[in-house]
Amino acid sequence: MHVTALSGGVGGARFLRGLTTYLARTPDLADTTVTIIGNTGDDITLFGLRVCPDLDTLLYTLGGGVHEGQGWGRAADTTAVQTELAALGVQPQWFGLGDRDLGTHIARSMWLGQGQSLSQVTARLATRWGLSERGVTLLPMTDTPVETHVVIDDGEGPRAVHFQEWWVRLRAAVPAQRFVVVGMERATAAPGVLDAIRRADVVLLPPSNPVVSVGIILGVPGVRDALRGTQAPVVGVSPLVAGRPVRGHADACLQAIGVETTSAAVAGLYADFLTGWLVDDRDADTQVPAGVTLRHRPLLMRDLDSAAEIAGEALRLGLDLRRR
Ligand code: GDP
Ligand code: CA
């Protein structure tokens, strides 16, 4: 069996670690392979280094090296380099980069500079984290550099800032007027991305941000068509519980694109390809688009076991829809 998932950073990574845990614990599914298509719209160049926050969060989480409390960055990391950069007055200082984490960005930047594609670089990093031993392949959504920018107006007229500046420095407190994905007009899906969707037995949408994680991947040419055309059921997990994001600022992102912060409205964003939608018990009355099967259960990923149960339920919904 083959599962393909579209993922952002922390929410997606925790769900997908739950999925690999569920698969390893379930004897008749233990051979299942998982292809993850990761969002690269959050990517940013800092201090001359290419940083891919969502891909790194996936690598560290699935590889067992993530800082559990933060949900991103390396466990037990130190900040000697960042402290020295601050002493040198180098900007920006609002983006946290630990020393071990910087090793990833140095290696990635070096390999990209030698002419390797982001797919090739990501495969090398995945080897470091033992992803293939867990049955996981991690693909960037595209090898073309793309960056999500946010149009804001903080008093001096509209201007665009990098998504990370809006999210991390401004904490999404300044309303977003719209999102612009710089570079997407010349982007193509990375090798293997469209085939992974077309050839999957089940496609899963983890509870990633529907606008700036899943929504960005859906904008890569061919991805949406592949989802509409695949024979596989496409099952999504809502990132909202009782009308609120569990963490982060998905509400601010949804507001910017004129969509209500409800599990029903998020399902509506996927209406042209979604076949199953998993919501929290508190949202059991969610109205879903025609042709979508709704299920509900507790959706808080409190620990690895609860994440594994949620992922298992999403996968079982996909398998039930496949049999029909
Ligand atoms: P990011 O790139 O680090 O922002 O991570 P993602 O886009 O993959 O996931 C962010 C989304 O995950 C947010 O909108 C959260 O509401 C959602 N999320 C985080 N933890 C949970 C959880 O325990 N349950 C559910 N249902 N959603 C969650
Ligand atoms: Ca992200």
Side-chain angles (χ1 to χ4, degrees):
M1 247 240 321
H2 190 80
V3 177
T4 296
L6 275 50
S7 181
V10 179
R14 286 188 171 157
F15 172 86
L16 291 165
R17 183 175 56 178
L19 179 67
T20 55
T21 303
Y22 174 80
L23 292 171
R25 288 174 180 173
T26 310
D28 53 329
L29 293 173
D31 291 340
T32 303
T33 53
V34 180
T35 298
I36 303 170
I37 300 167
N39 171 41
T40 61
D42 288 15
D43 294 9
I44 187 167
T45 301
L46 295 168
F47 317 119
L49 302 174
R50 194 66 177 159
V51 180
C52 301
D54 287 357
L55 297 181
D56 291 341
T57 296
L58 286 159
L59 289 165
Y60 299 160
T61 304
L62 290 160
V66 79
H67 184 300
E68 291 291 342
Q70 286 175 173
W72 51 271
R74 294 284 306 275
D77 214 344
T78 49
T79 55
V81 174
Q82 195 140 26
T83 304
E84 186 60 20
L85 289 170
L88 290 164
V90 177
Q91 298 292 338
Q93 279 159 27
W94 44 261
F95 198 87
L97 293 172
D99 298 327
R100 289 169 191 271
D101 190 22
L102 277 160
T104 303
H105 313 316
I106 291 169
R108 173 188 289 121
S109 303
M110 188 180 84
W111 292 331
L112 289 171
Q114 290 168 350
Q116 295 179 42
S117 67
L118 184 61
S119 296
Q120 291 170 321
V121 169
T122 304
R124 289 180 80 165
L125 295 170
T127 302
R128 153 74 175 94
W129 289 104
L131 262 53
S132 64
E133 290 95 277
R134 294 172 168 83
V136 174
T137 304
L138 175 62
L139 305 176
M141 65 185 194
T142 177
D143 283 338
T144 312
V146 294
E147 286 185 357
T148 305
H149 288 210
V150 189
V151 180
I152 59 166
D153 187 349
D154 49 4
E156 297 140 45
R159 66 186 178 107
V161 296
H162 192 286
F163 170 73
Q164 296 296 349
E165 183 169 355
W166 180 67
W167 190 263
V168 179
R169 187 173 80 81
L170 301 172
R171 294 169 202 277
V174 179
Q177 297 184 343
R178 61 199 169 88
F179 298 99
V180 181
V181 191
V182 179
M184 193 64 108
E185 66 286 351
R186 37 171 209 279
T188 52
V193 163
L194 301 181
D195 271 350
I197 296 170
R198 294 190 193 112
R199 296 197 187 146
D201 295 301
V202 176
V203 176
L204 295 179
L205 303 181
S208 287
N209 187 306
V211 183
V212 295
S213 292
V214 178
I216 303 298
I217 303 172
L218 294 177
V220 175
V223 166
R224 208 167 185 119
D225 282 337
L227 286 162
R228 289 186 188 131
T230 185
Q231 293 296 305
V234 181
V235 174
V237 180
S238 179
L240 306 178
V241 170
R244 299 169 73 149
V246 177
R247 63 181 270 162
H249 320 290
D251 43 353
C253 299
L254 288 163
Q255 195 182 7
I257 64 164
V259 172
E260 263 185 66
T261 305
T262 63
S263 288
V266 175
L269 291 172
Y270 309 142
D272 51 327
F273 55 79
L274 194 69
T275 50
W277 190 231
L278 190 60
V279 299
D280 189 81
D281 286 337
R282 282 165 271 182
D283 302 312
D285 61 350
T286 295
Q287 298 289 315
V288 286
V292 177
T293 301
L294 182 77
R295 275 190 200 163
H296 61 89
R297 72 174 323 284
L299 277 196
L300 283 184
M301 299 186 283
R302 281 171 281 99
D303 50 24
L304 183 57
D305 285 340
S306 52
E309 283 164 24
I310 292 166
E313 184 73 29
L315 182 60
R316 282 197 300 274
L317 174 53
L319 294 175
D320 289 351
L321 293 171
R322 201 161 156 252
R323 277 184 212 107
R324 282 187 200 165

